Amino acid sequence: MTTSQIYPLELIDETLDINATDNYDLTLELSDEGVSLAVLDLLRGKYVMLRHYPLEDSSSGTLRSYGEIMESDDFLRRRYRKKFIIIPSLNSTMIPAPVYEPGLREDYFRFNFGSRDDEQVIANNVSFPEAVVLFSPGKDAVGSIPSRWREVTPWHHTKPLLSHVSAACRNSDDCYIHLHYEKSFVTVAIAEKQNLTFCNSFAVSAPQDGAYFLFSVLDRKGIRHDENIYISGAVEPYSEAHIALLNFSSGIRFASPVIRQSFSYVMNEIHLHRWLNLFTAASCE
């Protein structure tokens, strides 16, 4: 792993060719944690690059914009076969596909979250369940997307997350419980008998909050604490957030992507649960 002021996290397979990006898919995530990107080599069927830029410059302590970071990255200026953009957001709502009316998109969203004149509401189709996820990403994130990528519709983080939940519970009727961490909120997803029975996000201000919300949901649904609980996102092994979960259950497991693609050996240096959505996005088509 290379660590520097330019690339705080950079993992690159030696087969990566910056002049052959037409054979690659790119996934980009713009979150409160920073800018993350993964490159999938379609010919080899494996991920060959991961980069992450924190918004805070480690050398100066100043905050950088998404646009500044993206303009400085050489791979983000290349052409790719396909591009996927994930923008995690606390505020979202899910409408069952059979009753969804595209012309009422803003009305659905504003009924739940109020309205702002400058708000852009984006719709994502999801297959698990058959529904439409509506969310409003921040202007700073949407505004930083290069004009040459304007045809790419950003995805809410629940699109790849629910794709993972669907794959993880596909061959079992057991209860599947997933807790995903972002910097300022968590998302709880529960599937029972291969059906999604709960999905919601909660704002958090302390490391223990994720455990509080998860087990409150489990108690309301009558689900035992000894079920396996899979976690992903911005949570490290034996961090305060992880230990808070272990205080309630011994069945805490770090999730791994359930995808057909493989990973370059350089990815052995990271915890795959941290980048679950980034690595799952290309399998959502």
Side-chain angles (χ1 to χ4, degrees):
M1 180 171 67
T2 301
T3 302
S4 71
Q5 293 182 354
I6 300 176
Y7 304 133
L9 171 61
E10 179 182 77
L11 300 172
I12 295 180
D13 187 275
E14 69 272 12
T15 64
L16 183 71
D17 184 354
I18 196 171
N19 296 312
T21 55
D22 283 341
N23 296 320
Y24 300 157
D25 281 355
L26 170 75
T27 303
L28 176 72
E29 184 173 55
L30 307 176
S31 72
D32 289 344
E33 287 282 313
V35 176
S36 308
L37 57 141
V39 172
L40 172 64
D41 184 332
L42 298 164
L43 299 179
R44 293 177 175 84
K46 68 179 180 179
Y47 282 95
V48 291
M49 189 182 85
L50 171 68
R51 276 181 178 167
H52 174 70
Y53 301 89
L55 290 180
E56 183 176 340
D57 189 297
S58 58
S59 60
S60 66
T62 59
L63 290 177
R64 299 173 293 176
S65 69
Y66 296 119
E68 288 172 335
I69 294 173
M70 293 170 65
E71 284 299 318
S72 69
D73 187 277
D74 47 353
F75 273 87
L76 291 180
R77 294 192 290 269
R78 313 300 294 190
R79 288 177 53 87
Y80 292 87
R81 189 199 68 133
K82 286 191 177 179
K83 299 173 288 290
F84 308 93
I85 302 173
I86 304 169
I87 305 180
S89 174
L90 170 63
N91 291 339
S92 68
T93 189
M94 185 182 295
I95 311 296
V99 300
Y100 176 71
E101 294 287 346
L104 298 177
R105 178 175 59 185
E106 285 78 11
D107 295 327
Y108 291 131
F109 189 82
R110 289 166 183 164
F111 177 79
N112 288 276
F113 301 108
S115 63
R116 294 199 308 266
D117 292 338
D118 59 349
E119 198 165 52
Q120 179 184 4
V121 179
I122 296 176
N124 294 159
N125 294 322
V126 295
S127 58
F128 182 77
E130 291 291 338
V132 178
V133 173
L134 303 177
F135 74 110
S136 179
K139 289 191 300 181
D140 50 348
V142 174
S144 68
I145 298 173
S147 58
R148 62 185 179 278
W149 293 0
R150 294 302 184 194
E151 80 284 359
V152 180
T153 299
W155 287 354
H156 191 249
H157 70 281
T158 53
K159 184 173 175 75
L161 181 61
L162 292 177
S163 176
H164 169 82
V165 172
S166 174
C169 72
R170 183 172 297 150
N171 297 317
S172 174
D173 284 339
D174 293 342
C175 181
Y176 180 86
I177 305 165
H178 197 108
L179 176 64
H180 178 78
Y181 284 81
E182 293 292 337
K183 184 176 182 179
S184 59
F185 67 91
V186 297
T187 300
V188 177
I190 300 174
E192 299 173 87
K193 296 183 178 179
Q194 301 181 35
N195 292 299
L196 187 72
T197 60
F198 186 89
C199 182
N200 202 5
S201 295
F202 305 91
V204 297
S205 58
Q208 300 82 6
D209 288 351
Y212 168 79
F213 287 117
L214 171 65
F215 290 104
S216 294
V217 171
L218 297 185
D219 289 343
R220 290 200 304 271
K221 290 180 64 63
I223 297 174
R224 303 193 317 268
H225 291 192
D226 59 356
E227 297 278 1
N228 284 338
I229 297 168
Y230 295 88
I231 60 176
S232 62
V235 54
E236 297 299 325
Y238 299 105
S239 61
E240 289 184 75
H242 184 207
I243 291 172
L245 292 167
L246 292 172
N247 287 334
F248 287 91
S249 172
S250 61
I252 307 302
R253 306 286 185 266
F254 287 95
S256 292
V258 183
I259 56 176
R260 63 183 181 277
Q261 297 88 358
S262 61
F263 298 90
S264 165
Y265 71 94
V266 300
M267 305 296 178
N268 293 337
E269 299 190 30
I270 60 168
H271 299 293
L272 292 177
H273 77 271
R274 173 65 181 83
W275 316 100
L276 183 80
N277 288 336
L278 197 70
F279 290 134
T280 302
S283 300
C284 291
E285 296 180 277

